[in-house]
Amino acid sequence: MTRTVLVTGARAAAALDIARDFAAAGYRTFCADSASARISRWSRRTGTFLSYPAPRADAAAFAKRICELVDELSVDLIVPTCEEAFHLAAPALAPRLADRLFQPPLATLRDLHDKYRFARLAAGFGLPVPETHLLESEADVARFADGSAGWVFKPCFSRFGEAALVGPAAGELRRVEPAPGRGWVAQRRVPGGEACFYAVARDGELRAFAAYRSDWRLGGGASFGFEPLDAAKAVALREIAAVLAGRLSLTGQFACDAIFDANGQPWLIECNPRATSGVHFLAGEGRLAAAIDGSGEDCLGGDGRPRHLLPAMLSFGLGVALRRGDLGGWIAALREGRDVIGQPGDRLPALGAFADGLGFAFRGMLRGASASAMTVADIAWDGEDLP
């Protein structure tokens, strides 16, 4: 009997790839979002697109609509991809979705998403984490004024790195404005190369994994070009992922950012308990879907070829290349990498991504915010209580 999957957060390129992968695996596939999500809605391979209310604007309406979709479509599996994941784990929905929702419970999501909680959790498991302090007042911040260049400051709940201050001068610390319930962290700065991993676990066992790096990103940190990490570093991060999955008995998706220091030691920086760009190295033939639903073999690593988001690579990437005088590198990245949005027989998602991007940028201009911030404005979760 054909199973049915609902992929939420359809605005994300990761959601597009995940939905395509489930379709390739023979699933009856649906995508849904509170945004227009043309990137997935215009695809020929992601099934019917459905809408739900924005959870931050109306949590009750969001919960009601999700329950309706589950019942109307006879959904067997829900795979979140963006920060709607936290709202799907809300107490009001937990009893209805527990056996269908592919993610950990809200308490675990909080521990992974909160940068201070995650640092303490990982350190408790014996994993390498930079020295990390919680900042809840001006007095807490003032303690770091003399040596601020040796620290990284960021809100406990943040995304895209937009608010982070890396090695700031003492005068810049005025931008760090913590308060009880809205804390920041001060994390010892580790010089080195950044890397990321994406992983899938079931019952504490690692089922899918990809490690990668990016030289192509927006100013805040959102990436649009990705290269597989070299084998030795990938193995080191895979061991870390296995520890996290096992110690937390995880079922779901999770991803971490790390820095490798001059000695090749990886240091865990933060965790995103949702889909990230590592998906693009694993999706395409149904293998990732089989790893998620537990029906197939492990999906560990891709073909070793770089990936990129072509609309962003053509627009933002050119600007990045010109600023750093690396036009040749940009051309090489386009030539050697594979676009994960537009694919043979399914090109319209690339146009959809471009249209989505314009929409987020326009709304950001109206609100004085970045386009990246607008991509999560209606779904972001900053640790507040959920109904």
Side-chain angles (χ1 to χ4, degrees), residues 42 45 51 57 84 92 132 155 189 196 209 235 239-240 316 331 336 339 354 361 371 373:
W42 291 358
R45 297 176 183 166
S51 296
E84 84 286 346
T132 304
R189 186 178 180 184
C196 308
F209 178 85
V235 168
E239 291 173 352
I240 287 173
F316 301 118
I331 294 172
E336 297 168 8
D339 177 31
F354 183 73

Side-chain angles (χ1 to χ4, degrees), residues 135-138 141 173-180 182-184:
L135 310 178
E136 295 185 289
S137 66
E138 290 183 8
V141 178
L173 292 184
R174 64 181 180 276
R175 294 163 55 189
V176 180
E177 299 179 319
R182 293 188 294 108
W184 283 56

Side-chain angles (χ1 to χ4, degrees), residues 152-369:
V152 176
F153 301 85
K154 50 193 173 182
C156 290
F157 293 96
S158 56
R159 63 284 301 162
F160 307 124
E162 289 192 322
L165 299 176
V166 180
E172 294 181 86
L173 292 184
R174 64 181 180 276
R175 294 163 55 189
V176 180
E177 299 179 319
R182 293 188 294 108
W184 283 56
V185 295
Q187 194 166 67
R188 181 75 69 179
R189 186 178 180 184
V190 179
E194 298 181 21
C196 308
F197 73 74
Y198 163 80
V200 167
R202 287 193 67 87
D203 301 320
E205 296 291 329
L206 206 60
R207 298 301 309 274
F209 178 85
Y212 60 101
R213 58 183 294 274
S214 176
D215 287 332
W216 300 96
R217 61 183 65 195
L218 300 176
S223 300
F224 48 85
F226 323 99
E227 297 179 17
L229 205 59
D230 70 68
K233 290 180 178 178
V235 168
L237 293 185
R238 181 175 164 183
E239 291 173 352
I240 287 173
V243 170
L244 286 171
R247 292 295 296 270
L248 293 170
S249 298
L250 282 177
T251 292
Q253 305 170 91
F254 64 104
C256 289
D257 296 340
I259 292 181
F260 282 85
D261 65 20
N263 297 318
Q265 167 70 53
W267 296 87
L268 278 180
I269 304 302
E270 58 188 63
C271 181
N272 297 298
R274 54 174 174 77
T276 61
S277 301
V279 162
H280 304 310
F281 292 99
L282 306 175
E285 301 174 352
R287 293 169 57 236
L288 179 58
I292 288 174
D293 71 14
S295 65
E297 298 180 354
D298 294 347
C299 181
L300 305 171
D303 58 12
R305 185 178 175 185
R307 266 68 167 167
H308 56 249
L309 312 181
L310 186 60
M313 200 69 180
L314 290 174
S315 52
F316 301 118
L318 178 58
V320 170
L322 292 174
R323 282 195 299 273
R324 66 190 188 194
D326 188 22
L327 191 60
W330 177 71
I331 294 172
L334 286 172
R335 183 178 62 248
E336 297 168 8
R338 180 172 71 82
D339 177 31
V340 300
I341 298 180
Q343 296 184 357
D346 195 29
R347 298 294 187 186
L348 278 180
L351 182 59
F354 183 73
D356 289 342
L358 287 178
F360 288 128
F362 180 70
R363 287 193 289 276
M365 289 174 58
L366 294 178
R367 299 189 188 184

Side-chain angles (χ1 to χ4, degrees), residues 87-104:
H87 301 278
L88 288 169
L93 280 170
R96 289 293 310 276
L97 305 185
D99 59 341
R100 298 179 175 90
L101 188 57
F102 188 70
Q103 66 179 24

